[in-house]
Amino acid sequence: KQWYQRRVAITAGDLCKKIKKSGANVLLIQKSILRDALNDMALHFLTKMKVLVVKDIERDEIDFVSRTLGCRPIATADHMLPEHLGQADLVEEIHVGGGNKVVSITGCQSNAKTCSILVQGSNKLLADEAERSIHDALCVIRCLVKNKNMIAGGGAPEIELSIQLAQYAATLSGVESHCIKAFADALEIIPFTLAENAGLPPINIVTELRNRHAQGEAMAGINVKKCCITNITEENVLQPLLVSISAITLASETVRSILKIDDIVNTSR
């Protein structure tokens, strides 16, 4: 047992010397699911060498951290070279309230235009909801980068498209007419769901919205704040065009995939 502990100490010391020799004074370690990524002996050696250790970095954050700091992920200490290291002006542990601490890295020398957003809440539910809201906002920005066109929100484009398709279906006959009419009816589920989530009577709201659009008010939409149908563009309720295009495209592809299924084979265990 003593021989084993001595061997572990020698191995840990050699690894720590290689890390220090590379010029690193901050070590970021990925979280391991199989074993502890860092033992107490190695942590003791790195502390004596004045190397700050940040443990348990999630796997999905490695790429973001690497691009932000301008460093390269290293699998073994033998590959720790000065050209693989990143540079920053200050690495410190700060208190964020509630007894929580975070590691702040500022003054990164890389050209990566990244930042971190710290989300706090009185409980996990509020923090998760804030995270989802930020994610939705970032997705909207991403859509605008890909396609800068915007359209009215509040269910206005869906109900307008539904009416236009229903009118076009009336000019056809046979199976095509029924398919297009069903597609038009399916689009009404979006304003219906929007009204339902806002606590409004969905049937009455969708009926009024359909009548307003039939009268030529193409920008009429559901105003959840005023609980009525208004000109939604005057309320600055807009959405990226790419969102509607993607939703309709993916829904259509899903339906086509389902229609291609000829039969379902039930297997018994």
Side-chain angles (χ1 to χ4, degrees), residues 113-164:
K113 297 180 180 179
T114 59
C115 65
S116 298
I117 301 176
L118 180 61
V119 178
Q120 289 184 279
S122 57
N123 53 53
K124 189 176 185 300
L125 179 63
L126 292 178
D128 291 342
E129 187 63 29
E131 183 180 0
R132 283 192 292 268
S133 299
I134 294 174
H135 179 267
D136 293 342
L138 293 176
C139 289
V140 171
I141 299 300
R142 183 180 62 182
C143 290
L144 291 177
V145 171
K146 293 182 177 180
N147 189 333
K148 297 182 180 180
N149 297 320
M150 299 188 69
I151 56 177
E158 289 79 14
I159 201 69
E160 179 67 23
L161 183 59
S162 175
I163 292 175
Q164 296 292 337

Coordinates of all heavy atoms in Angstrom, one line a residue, residues 113-164:
K113 N -15.9 36.7 -30.0 CA -16.9 37.7 -29.5 C -17.9 36.9 -28.7 O -19.0 36.6 -29.2 CB -17.5 38.4 -30.6 CG -16.5 39.3 -31.4 CD -17.2 40.1 -32.5 CE -16.2 41.0 -33.2 NZ -16.8 41.7 -34.4
T114 N -17.6 36.4 -27.6 CA -18.5 35.6 -26.7 C -18.6 36.3 -25.4 O -17.8 37.1 -25.0 CB -17.9 34.2 -26.5 OG1 -16.7 34.3 -25.9 CG2 -17.8 33.5 -27.9
C115 N -19.7 35.9 -24.7 CA -19.9 36.4 -23.3 C -20.7 35.4 -22.6 O -21.3 34.5 -23.2 CB -20.6 37.8 -23.4 SG -22.3 37.7 -24.0
S116 N -20.8 35.5 -21.3 CA -21.6 34.6 -20.4 C -22.7 35.4 -19.7 O -22.5 36.6 -19.3 CB -20.7 34.0 -19.4 OG -19.7 33.2 -20.0
I117 N -23.8 34.8 -19.6 CA -25.0 35.4 -18.9 C -25.3 34.6 -17.7 O -25.5 33.4 -17.7 CB -26.2 35.4 -19.9 CG1 -25.9 36.2 -21.1 CG2 -27.4 36.1 -19.1 CD1 -27.1 36.2 -22.1
L118 N -25.2 35.3 -16.5 CA -25.5 34.7 -15.3 C -27.0 34.8 -14.9 O -27.5 36.0 -14.8 CB -24.6 35.3 -14.2 CG -24.8 34.7 -12.8 CD1 -24.4 33.2 -12.7 CD2 -23.9 35.5 -11.8
V119 N -27.7 33.7 -14.8 CA -29.1 33.7 -14.5 C -29.3 33.3 -13.0 O -28.8 32.2 -12.6 CB -29.9 32.8 -15.4 CG1 -31.4 32.8 -15.1 CG2 -29.7 33.2 -16.9
Q120 N -30.0 34.1 -12.3 CA -30.3 33.8 -10.9 C -31.8 33.9 -10.6 O -32.5 34.6 -11.3 CB -29.6 34.7 -9.9 CG -28.1 34.5 -9.8 CD -27.5 35.4 -8.8 OE1 -27.2 36.6 -9.1 NE2 -27.2 34.9 -7.6
G121 N -32.3 33.1 -9.7 CA -33.7 33.1 -9.3 C -33.9 32.6 -7.9 O -33.0 32.0 -7.3
S122 N -35.1 32.9 -7.3 CA -35.3 32.4 -6.0 C -35.5 30.9 -5.9 O -35.3 30.3 -4.8 CB -36.6 33.1 -5.5 OG -37.7 32.8 -6.3
N123 N -35.8 30.3 -7.0 CA -35.8 28.8 -7.0 C -35.4 28.3 -8.4 O -35.3 29.1 -9.4 CB -37.2 28.3 -6.6 CG -38.3 28.9 -7.5 OD1 -38.3 28.9 -8.7 ND2 -39.3 29.5 -6.8
K124 N -35.3 27.0 -8.6 CA -34.8 26.4 -9.9 C -35.8 26.7 -11.0 O -35.5 26.8 -12.1 CB -34.6 24.9 -9.7 CG -33.9 24.3 -10.9 CD -33.6 22.8 -10.6 CE -32.8 22.2 -11.7 NZ -33.5 22.3 -13.0
L125 N -37.1 26.7 -10.6 CA -38.2 26.9 -11.6 C -38.0 28.3 -12.3 O -38.1 28.4 -13.5 CB -39.6 26.8 -11.0 CG -40.7 26.9 -12.0 CD1 -40.7 25.9 -13.1 CD2 -42.1 26.9 -11.2
L126 N -37.8 29.3 -11.5 CA -37.7 30.7 -12.1 C -36.4 30.8 -12.9 O -36.4 31.4 -14.0 CB -37.7 31.7 -11.0 CG -39.0 31.9 -10.2 CD1 -38.8 32.9 -9.1 CD2 -40.1 32.3 -11.2
A127 N -35.3 30.1 -12.4 CA -34.0 30.2 -13.2 C -34.2 29.5 -14.5 O -33.7 29.9 -15.5 CB -32.9 29.6 -12.3
D128 N -34.8 28.3 -14.5 CA -35.0 27.6 -15.8 C -35.9 28.4 -16.7 O -35.7 28.3 -17.9 CB -35.7 26.2 -15.5 CG -34.7 25.3 -14.7 OD1 -33.5 25.5 -14.8 OD2 -35.2 24.3 -14.1
E129 N -36.9 29.0 -16.2 CA -37.8 29.8 -17.1 C -37.1 31.0 -17.7 O -37.2 31.3 -18.8 CB -39.0 30.3 -16.2 CG -40.1 31.0 -17.1 CD -40.7 30.1 -18.1 OE1 -40.8 28.9 -17.8 OE2 -41.1 30.6 -19.2
A130 N -36.2 31.6 -16.9 CA -35.4 32.7 -17.4 C -34.4 32.2 -18.5 O -34.2 32.9 -19.5 CB -34.6 33.4 -16.3
E131 N -33.9 31.1 -18.2 CA -32.9 30.5 -19.2 C -33.7 30.2 -20.5 O -33.1 30.4 -21.6 CB -32.3 29.2 -18.7 CG -31.3 28.5 -19.6 CD -30.7 27.3 -19.0 OE1 -31.1 26.9 -17.9 OE2 -29.9 26.6 -19.7
R132 N -34.9 29.7 -20.5 CA -35.7 29.4 -21.7 C -36.0 30.7 -22.4 O -36.0 30.7 -23.6 CB -37.0 28.7 -21.3 CG -36.8 27.2 -21.0 CD -38.1 26.4 -21.0 NE -38.8 26.8 -19.8 CZ -38.8 26.2 -18.6 NH1 -38.0 25.2 -18.5 NH2 -39.5 26.6 -17.6
S133 N -36.3 31.8 -21.6 CA -36.6 33.0 -22.3 C -35.4 33.6 -23.0 O -35.5 34.1 -24.1 CB -37.1 34.0 -21.2 OG -38.3 33.6 -20.6
I134 N -34.2 33.5 -22.4 CA -33.0 33.9 -23.0 C -32.7 33.1 -24.3 O -32.3 33.6 -25.3 CB -31.8 33.9 -22.0 CG1 -32.0 34.9 -20.9 CG2 -30.5 34.2 -22.7 CD1 -31.0 34.8 -19.8
H135 N -32.9 31.8 -24.2 CA -32.7 30.9 -25.3 C -33.6 31.3 -26.5 O -33.2 31.3 -27.7 CB -32.9 29.5 -24.9 CG -32.7 28.5 -26.0 ND1 -33.8 28.1 -26.8 CD2 -31.6 27.9 -26.5 CE1 -33.3 27.2 -27.7 NE2 -32.0 27.1 -27.6
D136 N -34.9 31.6 -26.2 CA -35.9 32.0 -27.2 C -35.4 33.3 -27.9 O -35.5 33.5 -29.1 CB -37.3 32.2 -26.6 CG -37.9 30.8 -26.2 OD1 -37.3 29.8 -26.6 OD2 -38.8 30.8 -25.4
A137 N -34.9 34.2 -27.1 CA -34.5 35.5 -27.6 C -33.3 35.3 -28.5 O -33.2 36.0 -29.6 CB -34.2 36.5 -26.5
L138 N -32.4 34.5 -28.1 CA -31.2 34.2 -28.9 C -31.6 33.5 -30.2 O -31.0 33.8 -31.3 CB -30.2 33.3 -28.2 CG -29.5 34.0 -27.0 CD1 -28.6 33.0 -26.2 CD2 -28.7 35.2 -27.4
C139 N -32.6 32.6 -30.2 CA -33.1 32.0 -31.4 C -33.7 33.0 -32.4 O -33.5 32.9 -33.6 CB -34.1 30.9 -31.1 SG -33.3 29.5 -30.3
V140 N -34.4 34.0 -31.8 CA -35.0 35.0 -32.7 C -33.8 35.8 -33.4 O -33.9 36.1 -34.6 CB -35.8 36.0 -31.8 CG1 -36.3 37.2 -32.7 CG2 -37.1 35.2 -31.3
I141 N -32.8 36.2 -32.6 CA -31.7 36.9 -33.2 C -31.0 36.1 -34.3 O -30.7 36.6 -35.4 CB -30.7 37.3 -32.1 CG1 -31.3 38.2 -31.1 CG2 -29.4 38.0 -32.8 CD1 -31.8 39.5 -31.6
R142 N -30.9 34.8 -34.1 CA -30.3 33.9 -35.1 C -31.1 33.8 -36.3 O -30.6 33.8 -37.4 CB -30.1 32.5 -34.5 CG -29.4 31.5 -35.4 CD -29.3 30.1 -34.8 NE -30.6 29.6 -34.5 CZ -30.8 28.4 -33.9 NH1 -29.8 27.7 -33.5 NH2 -32.0 28.0 -33.7
C143 N -32.4 33.8 -36.2 CA -33.3 33.8 -37.3 C -33.2 35.1 -38.1 O -33.2 35.1 -39.4 CB -34.8 33.6 -36.9 SG -35.1 31.9 -36.3
L144 N -33.0 36.2 -37.4 CA -32.9 37.5 -38.1 C -31.6 37.6 -38.8 O -31.5 38.3 -39.8 CB -33.1 38.6 -37.1 CG -34.5 38.8 -36.5 CD1 -34.5 39.9 -35.5 CD2 -35.5 39.1 -37.6
V145 N -30.6 37.0 -38.3 CA -29.3 37.0 -39.0 C -29.4 36.2 -40.3 O -28.8 36.6 -41.3 CB -28.2 36.4 -38.1 CG1 -26.9 36.2 -38.8 CG2 -27.9 37.3 -36.9
K146 N -30.1 35.1 -40.3 CA -30.2 34.3 -41.5 C -31.2 34.9 -42.5 O -31.0 34.8 -43.7 CB -30.7 32.9 -41.1 CG -29.7 32.1 -40.3 CD -30.3 30.7 -40.0 CE -29.3 29.8 -39.3 NZ -29.8 28.5 -39.0
N147 N -32.3 35.5 -42.0 CA -33.3 36.1 -42.8 C -33.8 37.4 -42.1 O -34.4 37.3 -41.1 CB -34.4 35.2 -43.1 CG -35.4 35.7 -44.2 OD1 -35.5 36.9 -44.4 ND2 -36.0 34.7 -44.9
K148 N -33.6 38.5 -42.7 CA -33.9 39.8 -42.0 C -35.4 40.2 -42.1 O -35.8 41.2 -41.5 CB -33.0 40.9 -42.5 CG -31.5 40.7 -42.3 CD -30.7 41.9 -42.8 CE -29.2 41.7 -42.5 NZ -28.4 42.8 -43.1
N149 N -36.1 39.5 -42.9 CA -37.6 39.8 -43.1 C -38.4 39.5 -41.8 O -38.1 38.4 -41.2 CB -38.1 39.0 -44.3 CG -37.4 39.5 -45.6 OD1 -37.2 40.6 -45.8 ND2 -37.2 38.5 -46.4
M150 N -39.3 40.3 -41.5 CA -40.2 40.1 -40.4 C -41.7 40.3 -40.8 O -42.0 41.0 -41.7 CB -39.9 41.1 -39.2 CG -38.5 41.0 -38.7 SD -38.2 42.0 -37.3 CE -39.2 41.2 -36.0
I151 N -42.5 39.6 -40.1 CA -44.0 39.6 -40.4 C -44.7 39.9 -39.1 O -44.2 39.9 -38.0 CB -44.5 38.3 -41.0 CG1 -44.1 37.1 -40.1 CG2 -43.9 38.1 -42.4 CD1 -44.7 35.8 -40.7
A152 N -46.0 40.2 -39.2 CA -46.8 40.4 -38.0 C -47.0 39.1 -37.2 O -46.9 38.0 -37.7 CB -48.2 40.9 -38.4
G153 N -47.1 39.3 -35.9 CA -47.3 38.2 -35.0 C -48.7 38.0 -34.6 O -49.7 38.5 -35.3
G154 N -49.0 37.4 -33.4 CA -50.3 37.3 -32.9 C -51.3 36.4 -33.7 O -52.5 36.6 -33.6
G155 N -50.7 35.5 -34.5 CA -51.5 34.6 -35.3 C -52.1 35.2 -36.6 O -52.8 34.6 -37.3
A156 N -51.6 36.4 -36.9 CA -52.1 37.1 -38.1 C -51.7 36.4 -39.4 O -52.5 36.2 -40.3 CB -51.7 38.6 -38.1
P157 N -50.4 36.0 -39.5 CA -50.1 35.4 -40.8 C -50.7 34.0 -41.0 O -51.0 33.6 -42.1 CB -48.5 35.3 -40.7 CG -48.2 35.4 -39.3 CD -49.3 36.2 -38.7
E158 N -50.9 33.3 -39.9 CA -51.4 31.9 -40.0 C -52.9 32.0 -40.4 O -53.3 31.2 -41.3 CB -51.3 31.2 -38.7 CG -49.9 30.8 -38.3 CD -49.0 31.9 -37.8 OE1 -49.6 32.9 -37.4 OE2 -47.8 31.8 -37.7
I159 N -53.7 32.9 -39.8 CA -55.1 33.0 -40.2 C -55.3 33.5 -41.6 O -56.2 33.1 -42.3 CB -55.8 33.8 -39.1 CG1 -57.3 33.5 -39.1 CG2 -55.6 35.3 -39.3 CD1 -57.6 32.1 -38.6
E160 N -54.4 34.5 -42.0 CA -54.5 35.0 -43.3 C -54.2 33.9 -44.4 O -54.8 33.8 -45.4 CB -53.5 36.2 -43.5 CG -53.5 36.8 -44.9 CD -54.8 37.5 -45.2 OE1 -55.6 37.9 -44.3 OE2 -55.1 37.7 -46.4
L161 N -53.1 33.1 -44.1 CA -52.8 32.0 -45.0 C -53.9 31.0 -45.0 O -54.2 30.4 -46.1 CB -51.5 31.4 -44.5 CG -50.9 30.3 -45.4 CD1 -50.7 30.8 -46.8 CD2 -49.6 29.8 -44.8
S162 N -54.5 30.7 -43.9 CA -55.6 29.8 -43.8 C -56.8 30.2 -44.7 O -57.4 29.4 -45.5 CB -56.1 29.6 -42.4 OG -57.2 28.8 -42.3
I163 N -57.1 31.5 -44.7 CA -58.2 32.0 -45.5 C -57.9 31.9 -47.0 O -58.7 31.5 -47.8 CB -58.5 33.5 -45.1 CG1 -59.1 33.5 -43.7 CG2 -59.5 34.1 -46.1 CD1 -59.4 34.9 -43.1
Q164 N -56.6 32.3 -47.3 CA -56.2 32.3 -48.7 C -56.2 30.9 -49.3 O -56.7 30.6 -50.4 CB -54.8 32.9 -48.9 CG -54.7 34.4 -48.5 CD -55.5 35.3 -49.5 OE1 -55.7 34.9 -50.6 NE2 -55.8 36.4 -49.0

